[in-house]
Amino acid sequence: MAKTRTVYTCQECGAEHLKWGGRCTECGEWNTLVETVVRQPASTSSTRATARGTLVAGGNPPQRLTEIQADRHQRYVLPMGEFNRVLGGGIVPGSLVLIGGDPGIGKCVTGDTRVLDPLTGGYLPITAWAEGPRPVLAVDERSLRLAPATGAAFHERGTYPIVELRTALGRVLRCTPDHPLLTPEGWLPAGELASGSQVAAPLALPHFGCEALPEPAVKLVAYILSDGSAQSQIGLTSHLPEAARDLEEIAAAFGMQLVCYDRPRTRARQYRFANDVEQHAPARQEVASALRAVPARPGISWASQAHRADASHDLLNVCQGTPVPREAALQQLPPAAGGPWPAPAPGAYDRAEAQTPIARFLEELGVRFPTAADKAVPNRIFRLPREQLALFLNVLFTCDGLLYIDRSGRPGLSYSTISRRLAADVQHLLLRFGLVATLRTKHSRVKDWVCTAYEVVLLGTSDVQAFLATIGIMDQDEARRHVAAMTGPHGRSMRPGTLAPGEAFWELLRDAGGSASVREISRCSDIAIQNRRRERPLCHTTVARGAAALPDPHHRARAHGDVYWDEVVSVTPAGEAPVYDLTVPGKANFVANDLIIHNSTLLLQVAGMLAEAAGPVLYVSGEESAHQIKMRAERLGIHAADLFLLSETNLDMILEHLNTLRPKTAIVDSIQTVYLDELHSSAGSVGQVRECAARLLHYSKNEDVPVFIVGHVTKQGAIAGPRVLEHIVDTVLYLEGDRFHAFRLLRGQKNRFGSTNEVGVFEMVEGGLAEVENPSEAFLAEHAAGATGSAVAVTLEGTRPLLVEIQSLSTMSALVQPRRTANGIDLNRLYLLLAVLGKRVGLQLHNQDVFINVVGGLKISEPAADLAVATAIASSFRERPIARDLALIGEIGLGGELRTVSQLERRLTEAGKLGFKRVIIPKAGRRPLQVEGLQTIAVKTLVEALHIALTTAPSPGSLEAERPASDLPAETPRIDGNELDLTMDEKDEDAWLDEDEVIDELD
């Protein structure tokens, strides 16, 4: 029988400890030890197999070196040169490759995004899922039906740039630019959507709670959120007799009195809730008598008892007429007083307190003391049953709603408030009843005050009649009778454009109709579909009739699904914010802010190429279904017959399928989702991740099959899990990129079969990731001529030289400590260069905000870009542009000298290929390679380089342009160190200038 033992595993390095010591002795990190229960196999002499399965008796016998086939590890070369470059020439059979990506690339929303919990009816911010798994609503992409999905896991991604997406229905989503949203064409990133695009939204959210409240309490919240006030005094103003009756009922339910005041020159009356004096005074006396009856312990005064109980003596001294303390405060005193309190009549404490029961109830719900612009529906209301939610909306629309008939004879219903959050809550609650409303903004002027109001609008006979039948509205009897008697178009045809068909819709329609023409399809389906309507939206009635005439799953889903196609109004950058994500098992999407959003494209493309070139490939996904991967493959144009998809998280089952299928390559997405039954810890824990990776390594080596595993990434940007995971695998790849740029960079952080300095450059296009054949040209595509603060650096990534644009901006700071911001270079390196510019060159940057950006999202780590960074800063500070045909190479030392860099000839060749005419380089001992059409200017110091770079470039063909700096005549100004030599006679000592004159020369 297997035994268990407890060990403490370090989450950083994976080392095991028998005792918890607070600090890992292997890596030195504190508070990283996690208790893990390990099952030990029974010790028998008949087998050597371990419980982990990594050692099998007789598995691999020793082999002679001369008998091993040399071509066993012949690489798989893909038609994707950038991927082959990073791997060292191709994929090695039998290798285990770990690949991770920037945290939250394209799949994160801000913390104020709200998600519906279909089990309880709660409408909570996404951060509420951090407390534990909760269900969400997800859409089936095949049938477009919404259904609850359980076990959504929460992920905190960090702070990243976001965009704000607004729709025609008034919905707002704040997310990262690459966050996928469901469109008629499939999942598309939010940043790629334009005005007029359509995104999926729920047609109805028929999910209600079961936590009922007394009806007077529901009405009270509705009245307070509409015409009421919950400040120091609680009440409201209304002219409706129905409201007066409701308020009387509320006051009686809470044991209070309703005080009414007439308002001059208006029909409205003001109502206020007050304590019932006839009950309040006797209750105070009863509590006071109970306190006086407490036998004081000998020698202990009231003040001493209050001090021992940490209670206020003034509140306890009711004999002097002070307010009665709350019952919770009194419960602290019995241990100090030496005995229990005499119990007064039930409810006496509540009636005696100065705080009214209504005030206490509103505080518990979180709706006490809000201003009109800050009002919102409390979460307790979202969890009400259907009947009580209808009652709540009935009161809201009675107070602030309007039922009307517009000029075209179409009925409408609106609700107005100056709180956008309240308007969005009402729009969401209407969706619970299947009513799709529009939220719009209205601006009006009242005298000198510009007022912004938010209006929730329902239009059309069917929707308004449905509202009156299920929710209703008090007052406005004549309008209700008029709408009830109306007949006209029913269904959803009265709504704005419900479906933009697009070219794919018409192709599917023709395929379903066979050889029939569009006119014949229209005639048999009794609808009018004409060629001129190809770009016009279609209503659901038209699509439903077409689906009935042509039975096709795609058309049935469009006609009878739970999706409303909302139109995008705008997508604009919204700065940076902390972002979060949910992992939804199976469907991998969820409803957030009443929009449907998505929850590994590069590996899918690689899998398709390998399936066509090498043979069968098994793609295992623990987060998405096979159907979802199929949809993404169609969008990427992948149709490989030998690509097999498997949705599975049990590693034993995965290995069984691998042994049965025997593929040429396997991909596991992701390692944090798979688990082993024999381990008691949950999927994604240290033990599970390490053990699953070890099993996959064992399979890869024994079967000579390359295996790719995808690793989640932490908010710090490191691959999640223990560091031992990176030690197990043969290669570690990392996909990084700027979310506002199309470029993605694939780096090799570890590679047992090649260099780790290589980087592959890809571009995110509509069809997935496409390799960039000339990255330097792509990075410089938008390089502006004549702009200050812009310099071109020639860097080296592995064996590849890259030319990138470095931008700088320096401006007078309004802060005591100026800001230093670096995007793409190390911030400490920027501090060093600023110090050199101040000390050795004399640039007064101590009061300047300095910003550095590497265009294209590239991260530069080598010091060869120092000269370009320093020159860009000086150019921005002095308002001197750098010539467009000038590139810069060089490392800057602390003394202001330029130091040589490696692979200089290769850098110069790349600069010449891209059309640069001049390059400033460090002056080394040997003369660099001469590139045709390229002038190399060798300098020793930063000051000399700045003088050349910030001086107007000589015209092409001139004598100065054709000569190197060392060949210029003696009278040409030259900079040596910090001093400018203008002398005609080397012996004239008065000709040397000081540092200030050098700066004047730069000016």
Side-chain angles (χ1 to χ4, degrees):
M1 181 177 178
K3 299 180 180 180
T4 60
R5 64 187 180 95
T6 300
V7 297
Y8 297 89
T9 307
C10 177
Q11 291 182 296
E12 287 292 330
C13 65
E16 293 184 353
H17 304 269
L18 297 178
K19 297 181 179 180
W20 188 87
R23 183 180 183 181
C24 176
T25 57
E26 297 293 331
C27 63
E29 294 291 336
W30 286 91
N31 300 322
T32 59
L33 301 183
V34 176
E35 182 177 357
T36 306
V37 177
V38 179
R39 178 179 296 178
Q40 294 177 320
S43 58
T44 62
S45 58
S46 60
T47 179
R48 298 179 185 178
T50 66
R52 297 180 179 182
T54 55
L55 297 176
V56 180
N60 290 320
Q63 292 179 278
R64 295 180 183 272
L65 177 63
T66 56
E67 296 176 355
I68 300 176
Q69 297 179 1
D71 60 346
R72 179 185 179 186
H73 290 292
Q74 184 177 0
R75 300 175 186 262
Y76 297 147
V77 180
L78 301 178
M80 186 183 288
E82 295 298 299
F83 194 77
N84 295 329
R85 171 189 289 271
V86 179
L87 288 175
I91 301 173
V92 176
S95 61
L96 184 62
V97 182
L98 172 65
I99 182 169
D102 269 354
I105 284 184
K107 299 182 181 181
C108 305
V109 294
T110 56
D112 56 356
T113 304
R114 291 189 289 172
V115 181
L116 172 64
D117 183 346
L119 184 63
T120 65
Y123 195 41
L124 305 167
I126 192 173
T127 51
W129 269 251
E131 302 171 359
R134 295 173 180 265
V136 295
L137 271 183
V139 67
D140 187 310
E141 299 175 27
R142 179 175 300 175
S143 63
L144 296 183
R145 291 286 188 178
L146 287 170
T150 58
F154 177 79
H155 304 285
E156 182 179 355
R157 301 299 192 186
T159 301
Y160 293 103
I162 60 171
V163 295
E164 183 176 87
L165 181 143
R166 293 182 177 269
T167 70
L169 292 182
R171 297 190 173 109
V172 178
L173 179 68
R174 289 158 53 85
C175 61
T176 51
D178 290 338
H179 197 119
L181 280 80
L182 183 60
T183 71
E185 293 77 29
W187 295 98
L188 294 178
E192 296 182 8
L193 299 177
S195 177
S197 302
Q198 289 194 319
V199 294
L203 194 59
L205 295 174
H207 297 274
F208 302 90
C210 56
E211 303 177 23
L213 285 173
E215 286 194 3
V218 176
K219 293 181 179 180
L220 171 65
V221 177
Y223 278 116
I224 292 299
L225 292 179
S226 53
D227 292 334
S229 173
Q231 301 297 323
S232 57
Q233 294 184 347
I234 301 174
L236 72 153
T237 303
S238 177
H239 68 281
L240 299 176
E242 295 88 351
R245 292 193 295 268
D246 286 341
L247 296 178
E248 289 285 356
E249 179 185 356
I250 293 171
F254 282 90
M256 300 185 66
Q257 288 182 337
L258 183 67
V259 183
C260 178
Y261 303 93
D262 292 327
R263 303 192 64 173
R265 298 183 300 277
T266 179
R267 293 187 306 155
R269 308 186 71 187
Q270 185 175 358
Y271 301 91
R272 183 169 61 85
F273 296 103
N275 270 323
D276 189 348
V277 178
E278 296 181 358
Q279 298 183 11
H280 186 62
R284 284 173 53 87
Q285 292 297 327
E286 186 174 354
V287 173
S289 300
L291 289 175
R292 295 191 195 100
V294 175
R297 294 177 60 185
I300 302 179
S301 63
W302 273 101
S304 299
Q305 294 184 41
H307 178 71
R308 292 186 179 187
D310 195 19
S312 172
H313 175 253
D314 293 336
L315 289 179
L316 294 176
N317 194 7
V318 294
C319 300
Q320 303 295 329
T322 54
V324 173
R326 293 188 179 184
E327 186 174 6
L330 295 177
Q331 296 302 324
Q332 302 174 1
L333 286 181
W341 293 98
Y349 284 120
D350 293 338
R351 296 192 304 272
E353 279 186 308
Q355 187 182 35
T356 65
I358 284 182
R360 190 182 310 112
F361 171 75
L362 295 178
E363 280 190 10
E364 292 174 356
L365 263 64
V367 293
R368 185 81 194 277
F369 303 114
T371 62
D374 297 331
K375 288 183 177 180
V377 176
N379 187 53
R380 183 65 178 81
I381 297 297
F382 289 110
R383 303 199 301 268
L384 292 176
R386 177 187 176 93
E387 296 76 13
Q388 291 197 340
L389 268 183
L391 175 64
F392 176 80
L393 289 174
N394 177 281
V395 175
L396 282 184
F397 276 84
T398 298
C399 295
D400 291 331
L402 176 64
L403 181 64
Y404 61 91
I405 309 294
D406 63 12
R407 295 179 180 177
S408 62
R410 181 172 55 176
L413 185 69
S414 68
Y415 172 82
S416 297
T417 176
I418 64 172
S419 169
R420 196 193 190 288
R421 171 68 180 271
L422 180 57
D425 290 343
V426 172
Q427 183 188 33
H428 170 80
L429 289 177
L430 289 175
L431 204 57
R432 301 278 184 100
F433 296 89
L435 300 172
V436 180
T438 302
L439 194 161
R440 61 188 186 187
T441 304
K442 299 195 306 181
H443 301 283
S444 59
R445 181 179 294 274
V446 180
K447 296 182 179 180
D448 295 332
W449 179 49
V450 177
C451 176
T452 300
Y454 303 94
E455 186 178 33
V456 181
V457 181
L458 281 174
L459 288 176
T461 305
S462 60
D463 283 349
V464 175
Q465 288 180 344
F467 177 90
L468 295 178
T470 57
I471 297 173
I473 187 172
M474 294 182 284
D475 200 22
Q476 307 186 46
D477 297 334
E478 183 178 354
R480 281 190 287 132
R481 287 192 297 269
H482 191 95
V483 173
M486 293 181 66
T487 59
H490 291 274
R492 304 184 180 97
S493 59
M494 297 298 292
R495 294 176 182 168
T498 57
L499 176 62
E503 190 63 30
F505 173 84
W506 296 105
E507 291 179 2
L508 290 171
L509 187 65
R510 285 193 298 267
D511 294 341
S515 59
S517 64
V518 175
R519 182 169 298 179
E520 293 173 346
I521 296 174
S522 302
R523 185 169 55 253
C524 70
S525 59
D526 193 24
I527 55 177
I529 302 179
Q530 300 178 4
N531 288 335
R532 69 174 185 270
R533 297 195 59 178
R534 292 176 65 88
E535 301 301 328
R536 294 173 56 187
L538 300 178
C539 65
H540 277 78
T541 304
T542 302
V543 179
R545 290 179 181 177
L550 300 171
D552 178 78
H554 179 81
H555 292 300
R556 283 199 300 269
R558 294 290 183 92
H560 307 295
D562 298 329
V563 170
Y564 176 92
W565 298 101
D566 198 357
E567 184 177 332
V568 175
V569 174
S570 63
V571 180
T572 56
E576 293 186 350
V579 291
Y580 310 90
D581 189 23
L582 297 179
T583 297
V584 182
K587 297 181 180 179
N589 65 77
F590 58 98
V591 177
N593 277 11
D594 294 340
L595 292 173
I596 299 174
I597 63 178
H598 201 273
N599 176 345
S600 48
T601 301
L602 176 63
L603 281 183
L604 187 57
Q605 293 176 254
V606 171
M609 295 178 183
L610 282 171
E612 294 179 353
V617 175
L618 180 61
Y619 188 105
V620 182
S621 175
E623 297 181 345
E624 297 178 274
S625 65
H627 177 67
Q628 291 169 334
I629 303 174
K630 167 67 175 178
M631 291 188 64
R632 191 163 71 249
E634 290 180 347
R635 179 170 63 87
L636 299 174
I638 300 173
H639 305 286
D642 283 339
L643 177 57
F644 295 86
L645 305 179
L646 174 64
S647 180
E648 182 59 68
T649 56
N650 189 312
L651 185 60
D652 291 327
M653 296 297 297
I654 294 173
L655 292 175
E656 183 177 343
H657 286 292
L658 288 172
N659 291 325
T660 302
L661 183 62
R662 304 189 69 82
K664 294 296 184 181
T665 306
I667 298 173
V668 179
D669 183 8
S670 65
I671 190 64
Q672 275 82 11
T673 61
V674 298
Y675 67 93
L676 287 166
D677 282 330
E678 61 193 56
L679 298 182
H680 297 288
S681 55
S682 59
S685 63
V686 174
Q688 287 281 7
V689 169
R690 181 180 56 189
E691 194 60 38
C692 290
R695 294 282 183 94
L696 290 172
L697 176 66
H698 179 69
Y699 167 82
S700 174
K701 301 302 181 185
N702 282 351
E703 302 296 331
D704 203 23
V705 173
V707 177
F708 290 84
I709 58 177
V710 180
H712 291 174
V713 178
T714 65
K715 61 182 180 179
Q716 289 83 12
I719 296 178
R723 290 178 183 173
V724 70
L725 180 61
E726 300 183 25
H727 298 323
I728 292 176
V729 301
D730 298 311
T731 305
V732 178
L733 304 181
Y734 195 89
L735 189 66
E736 62 186 29
D738 192 317
R739 287 139 185 86
F740 278 131
H741 293 84
F743 298 116
R744 296 290 184 264
L745 306 178
L746 185 65
R747 292 182 183 272
Q749 295 185 345
K750 173 188 176 182
N751 193 352
R752 290 174 178 166
F753 310 107
S755 172
T756 59
N757 296 323
E758 297 292 349
V759 61
V761 183
F762 300 87
E763 183 179 9
M764 180 64 70
V765 296
E766 184 178 356
L769 288 174
E771 61 175 331
V772 179
E773 296 181 357
N774 193 335
S776 298
E777 185 177 358
F779 288 140
L780 299 178
E782 300 178 0
H783 179 44
T788 61
S790 176
V792 176
V794 186
T795 66
L796 199 68
E797 292 289 343
T799 59
R800 164 187 287 165
L802 293 178
L803 275 74
V804 295
E805 180 185 1
I806 296 179
Q807 294 179 333
S808 174
L809 176 66
S810 65
T811 181
M812 184 66 70
S813 178
L815 305 175
V816 177
Q817 184 175 0
R819 287 176 292 184
R820 306 287 190 252
T821 303
N823 183 23
I825 68 170
D826 183 42
L827 185 60
N828 293 325
R829 196 71 186 175
L830 175 60
Y831 291 150
L832 184 149
L833 296 177
L834 291 176
V836 173
L837 286 171
K839 179 70 174 179
R840 305 301 180 186
V841 182
L843 297 185
Q844 303 298 319
L845 299 170
H846 60 277
N847 58 352
Q848 299 283 312
D849 289 333
V850 179
F851 305 90
I852 292 292
N853 177 52
V854 179
V855 177
L858 185 68
K859 296 180 180 178
I860 300 176
S861 57
E862 70 158 350
D866 287 353
L867 181 58
V869 174
T871 306
I873 295 173
S875 171
S876 176
F877 181 70
R878 292 300 185 190
E879 293 294 334
R880 294 285 188 86
I882 302 172
R884 181 181 177 86
D885 63 349
L886 177 67
L888 302 106
I889 306 173
E891 177 185 355
I892 297 177
L894 294 180
E897 74 281 3
L898 291 187
R899 297 182 178 273
T900 186
V901 298
S902 62
Q903 306 283 344
L904 183 58
E905 288 78 8
R906 183 171 293 181
R907 300 173 196 258
L908 295 176
T909 303
E910 183 71 13
K913 288 180 181 180
L914 293 179
F916 283 85
K917 302 300 183 183
R918 300 184 299 157
V919 179
I920 298 179
I921 62 174
K923 190 171 185 179
R926 61 186 180 88
R927 197 176 187 85
L929 174 69
Q930 296 297 321
V931 179
E932 183 178 357
L934 183 67
Q935 177 193 3
T936 56
I937 307 174
V939 297
K940 289 184 177 181
T941 64
L942 174 60
V943 175
E944 188 176 355
L946 291 178
H947 174 72
I948 297 173
L950 302 183
T951 303
T952 304
S955 59
S958 63
L959 180 62
E960 289 79 2
E962 298 175 354
R963 293 184 180 180
S966 58
D967 295 338
L968 294 179
E971 61 270 21
T972 302
R974 299 184 61 191
I975 301 177
D976 186 13
N978 283 338
E979 298 169 331
L980 183 63
D981 186 8
L982 296 177
T983 181
M984 296 294 295
D985 185 358
E986 296 180 359
K987 298 181 180 180
D988 189 359
E989 298 180 355
D990 296 333
W992 292 94
L993 304 180
D994 59 11
E995 187 177 28
D996 293 335
E997 292 173 322
V998 175
I999 304 305
D1000 292 339
E1001 178 65 19
L1002 291 178
D1003 286 337

Coordinates of all heavy atoms in Angstrom, one line a residue, residues 215-216 219 244-254 258:
E215 N -41.4 43.0 0.3 CA -41.8 43.9 -0.8 C -41.6 45.4 -0.4 O -41.2 46.2 -1.2 CB -43.2 43.6 -1.3 CG -43.3 42.4 -2.1 CD -44.6 42.3 -2.8 OE1 -45.4 43.3 -2.7 OE2 -44.9 41.3 -3.5
P216 N -41.9 45.8 0.8 CA -41.7 47.2 1.2 C -40.2 47.6 1.1 O -39.9 48.7 0.7 CB -42.2 47.3 2.6 CG -43.2 46.2 2.7 CD -42.7 45.1 1.9
K219 N -39.4 48.2 -2.6 CA -39.9 49.5 -3.0 C -39.1 50.6 -2.5 O -38.9 51.6 -3.1 CB -41.4 49.6 -2.6 CG -42.3 48.7 -3.3 CD -43.8 48.9 -2.9 CE -44.7 47.9 -3.6 NZ -46.1 48.1 -3.1
A244 N -47.6 57.6 -2.4 CA -48.0 57.9 -1.1 C -48.4 56.6 -0.4 O -48.1 56.4 0.8 CB -49.1 59.0 -1.0
R245 N -49.2 55.8 -1.1 CA -49.6 54.5 -0.4 C -48.4 53.6 -0.2 O -48.4 53.0 0.9 CB -50.7 53.9 -1.3 CG -52.0 54.6 -1.4 CD -53.1 53.7 -2.0 NE -52.7 53.4 -3.4 CZ -53.2 54.2 -4.5 NH1 -53.9 55.3 -4.2 NH2 -52.9 53.8 -5.7
D246 N -47.5 53.6 -1.2 CA -46.3 52.7 -1.0 C -45.5 53.2 0.2 O -45.0 52.4 1.0 CB -45.5 52.7 -2.2 CG -46.1 51.9 -3.3 OD1 -47.0 51.0 -3.0 OD2 -45.7 52.1 -4.5
L247 N -45.3 54.5 0.4 CA -44.5 55.0 1.5 C -45.1 54.7 2.8 O -44.4 54.5 3.8 CB -44.3 56.5 1.2 CG -43.5 56.9 0.0 CD1 -43.4 58.4 -0.1 CD2 -42.1 56.3 0.0
E248 N -46.5 54.8 2.9 CA -47.1 54.4 4.1 C -46.9 53.0 4.5 O -46.6 52.6 5.6 CB -48.7 54.7 4.0 CG -49.1 56.2 3.9 CD -49.0 56.8 5.3 OE1 -48.7 56.1 6.3 OE2 -49.2 58.0 5.4
E249 N -46.9 52.1 3.5 CA -46.7 50.7 3.7 C -45.2 50.5 4.1 O -44.9 49.7 5.0 CB -46.9 49.9 2.4 CG -46.7 48.5 2.5 CD -46.8 47.8 1.1 OE1 -47.2 48.4 0.2 OE2 -46.5 46.6 1.1
I250 N -44.3 51.2 3.5 CA -42.9 51.1 3.9 C -42.6 51.5 5.4 O -41.9 50.9 6.1 CB -42.0 51.9 3.0 CG1 -42.0 51.3 1.6 CG2 -40.5 52.0 3.4 CD1 -41.4 52.2 0.5
A251 N -43.2 52.7 5.7 CA -43.0 53.2 7.1 C -43.6 52.2 8.1 O -43.0 51.9 9.2 CB -43.7 54.5 7.2
A252 N -44.8 51.6 7.8 CA -45.3 50.6 8.8 C -44.5 49.4 8.9 O -44.3 48.8 10.0 CB -46.8 50.3 8.3
A253 N -43.9 48.9 7.8 CA -43.1 47.7 7.8 C -41.8 47.9 8.6 O -41.3 47.0 9.2 CB -42.7 47.3 6.4
F254 N -41.3 49.1 8.6 CA -40.1 49.4 9.4 C -40.3 50.0 10.8 O -39.4 50.4 11.5 CB -39.1 50.3 8.6 CG -38.4 49.7 7.5 CD1 -38.9 49.6 6.2 CD2 -37.2 49.1 7.7 CE1 -38.3 49.0 5.2 CE2 -36.5 48.4 6.7 CZ -37.0 48.4 5.4
L258 N -44.4 58.3 8.8 CA -44.2 59.0 7.5 C -44.8 60.4 7.7 O -46.0 60.7 8.0 CB -45.0 58.3 6.4 CG -44.8 59.0 5.0 CD1 -43.4 58.8 4.5 CD2 -45.8 58.3 4.0

